[in-house]
Amino acid sequence: MLACICVALLLTVHSADANPFRNVVNKPFASVCNGPQGAIIVDEGNEGTAGGAGLKSANETRLKAAIAAQHRVSDLRRAARPLRLLQARGIKGAGGRISFPRRVVHLRNGKIVAPDLMRALQTGTKLGGPTNELRFTFEGFTAGDQAAFEAYLDRALPKAYSIYGRPAFDLDVKVILDPDLQVLQGGVYDSATNEIRMSTLSGNFPEDSFILMILALYAFHDDAAFFYDAWEEGFAGAAATAIQTSPGVSPGYDPIDPGPFYATSVYEPQNQPDLAGPTYYPASGYRGMLVWRVALARSAWFKAYVEDHQFFSKFNVAYYQHYSEQLPGNVPALRVLGSQVLPSVEGMPFQEWFQRQHVLDTSIRIGPKLFVWNIPLTQAVALLVEHFFTTSSGDEEPRGGQARTTYWSYDFAVSLYAEEGNTIDIPSTGDGAGEGFLIPTFFNVGGPQLITVQVDLGSQRLMLPFPYGVRGFEAGENNLYGGIIGAVEGDIQATGGQGLENVSVQRAVWGDRITQGPLSPTQLEITFTNQQDQAVTRKVNVAWDSYVLFHHGGGQVQMNRTWSADGLGLHLISFPLRPLTQDLAALLGISPDRLLIARWDPALPTDNKYRIWPRTEPVEPGRGYWLRVLDDVSLSLTGVLHPEDEAFVVPLHVGWNMIGSPRRAAVAVEDLQFEAEGEQPVSYAEAVASGLIQEFIYRWSAQDGYVEAQQVKPFKGYWVRCMNSG
């Protein structure tokens, strides 16, 4: 099992000034990297073969220098800025604080120093042995603080072994109080020396012990840690939350209090594509996305824990059993392990669920990015805009600009007025570079409704649903609420908690209390029934406080289609409906091991831009796919139809795009409209004449090959070449 591990210890370093590790395969939700991109790197140069006090002193100096250079307090203050903004507006409690514990990896002669892994290799010891444990000693703490931490670990470690499984190695871990570290830094775990260094304590013991638990969970993986922050920090943060909230472990700990790190209540509006990235700590020092990525990665993995409280321990057992030199940074392989130990999450197969959690996408997408953290309040929505650019190396740089906002009524008939205006200024330099802030407030708009906040910045646009008038954060308010996309009236039924019956949906919003007090971690099943008695059901895994939910609930229809296996059995297809089932293999009635489907993604920075199932994006109307069937397939598709009196927007990237129709009837190509940079839509002919797109949209068939399409038909796929960004 461990025979291949030596390769991981031979990774070559090309630069001593920055983290040398990179994605070597860069595919959405399926990247592979060659080392721990988010770790603090201590380069010991060519030394290290001899021991002694001099070497120890030199490495101590290098460690402190690396922390100062790669975990800069000034950068972390920038990351904490959103919390200060929210606290100043009373949206977050004044006592909330954040800190960012990190891992430390040493390099010697250009190779990773991994003594525990090497020892296991040499002795043939299996990782994650059933008797492995961590033993802690303390240095530099007051007697009272040390006693408090020791008592805490006596309570917490048994729970940690239950939730996270046994450590990879049997270790003695020293916990050092390091006065050079500040509270924002939190602390570090040094995997080469098995040392935890904690910053000056905050005086809030439940929070300080939570940071200790995260660092302890880094020690659980130690030299076998995942290479991606979204996995290692996400796992540790979610599992530490589960441990800390277990009865008797940390009395007084409030999981929703640590600044914005608790995000499960508002996970759905924040789950946006531009969260993707290979590391939380890009080389430039830009930390504008740090808080959001930490918070949402914890929330995503906590949803897996709610599904099965043994998820982390089962995953770690499988991970250690299959450990190899590539596995810690091989997302496709890690996903397979996840699907084996947790077949489904929130009513979807693990692989399909994973594809929908954008914070877990560790690929690099080059270009400008726009992320908007949006918090629904009763009469207002808090908008924190992050504008940045991602380079080919995965580094990120803040960008300035002015975002334009439009606030649409529930039926898109009226652009609503907000006294705070319709622009968000984003500075390009200074402490707030790349970040803008606005809280538009709405009065006299006719009562609760689903307001859509449209944010435009350059070629980027976000459409953010805001359930106005029904949110729930304070005592006595709704703790389960949300909006319906594509329908305006109906009712809600829910199971879980005390359940909900016949909650009215009006103007596309609803809200009620499913528990007497705040929510606690559980799975809920919510069904929306429209006025035609058509039902759409979702399962959601929730945590504490409240939860905002968005349903796609337009009119349901059933459509049939047959694809023949004649010839190569190859078809260029699309799905005109939003399917009720999210399992693509089950949807098509094809065994997963025989499902052959692919989608071209022009945004991929590689020559081969195909996403192959199960890496294809979730099925949505407007997307085209290649499908190859080995036997005839007859599909009876039941799904939600986009309202036929509303425009349907299909985003295009520069280059060739695979598209499909979201309509039940054919649409003439000449009737298509194209929109760029937020300008008014233009006709197909005008788009061709102005150079927005290349002339002709192409269809394909086995008989004719590629030919010009005159119509865009349901279930057919098409190619269109976009010549202009945005």
Side-chain angles (χ1 to χ4, degrees), residues 199 202 323 395 402 428 510 519 709:
S199 64
S202 70
Y323 191 87
D395 201 1
Q402 187 179 74
S428 58
W510 60 277
L519 291 181

Side-chain angles (χ1 to χ4, degrees), residues 57-240:
S57 175
N59 280 340
E60 179 81 6
T61 300
R62 290 190 186 95
L63 172 63
K64 290 185 178 296
I67 294 173
Q70 300 172 47
H71 204 43
R72 290 188 295 266
V73 174
S74 58
D75 295 338
L76 298 179
R77 288 198 184 103
R78 163 63 179 87
R81 187 172 181 269
L83 174 60
R84 297 197 300 272
L85 290 170
L86 296 175
Q87 287 172 326
R89 298 298 186 104
I91 299 171
K92 283 288 183 181
R97 70 174 184 91
I98 52 179
S99 57
F100 304 91
R102 292 275 297 278
R103 292 176 55 246
V104 173
V105 171
H106 290 247
L107 303 175
R108 187 180 302 149
N109 298 324
K111 302 169 187 175
I112 295 177
V113 178
D116 302 310
L117 189 57
M118 182 62 75
R119 190 177 304 113
L121 171 65
Q122 293 171 343
T123 61
T125 304
K126 293 183 178 180
L127 276 64
T131 61
N132 284 1
E133 61 181 16
L134 302 183
R135 295 166 295 277
F136 294 85
T137 58
F138 291 82
E139 179 181 299
F141 294 85
T142 67
D145 287 339
Q146 179 173 330
F149 279 128
E150 288 173 340
Y152 164 77
L153 289 172
D154 286 342
R155 301 188 301 269
L157 278 177
K159 199 65 182 177
Y161 296 144
S162 173
I163 289 175
Y164 217 56
R166 287 287 164 171
F169 311 100
D170 191 73
L171 297 179
D172 294 305
V173 179
K174 180 184 287 187
V175 184
I176 302 168
L177 185 65
D178 188 338
D180 292 336
L181 292 176
Q182 296 190 24
V183 171
L184 264 175
Q185 293 170 302
V188 298
Y189 173 70
D190 192 326
S191 59
T193 62
N194 306 135
E195 291 179 345
I196 288 173
R197 292 171 177 264
M198 292 189 68
S199 64
T200 302
L201 303 181
S202 70
N204 182 334
F205 185 78
E207 285 300 316
D208 291 333
S209 59
F210 178 65
I211 297 301
L212 175 60
M213 179 50 63
I214 290 176
L215 293 165
L217 293 179
Y218 293 160
F220 267 62
H221 278 166
D222 189 52
D223 293 339
F226 302 128
F227 289 166
Y228 285 112
D229 298 331
W231 287 77
E232 186 65 27
E233 293 202 19
F235 261 48

Side-chain angles (χ1 to χ4, degrees), residues 574-596:
S574 65
F575 298 90
L577 310 175
R578 190 180 305 277
L580 297 188
T581 177
Q582 306 299 330
D583 184 343
L584 185 55
L587 178 71
L588 293 169
I590 299 174
S591 172
D593 60 356
R594 291 169 63 86
L595 180 55
L596 302 171

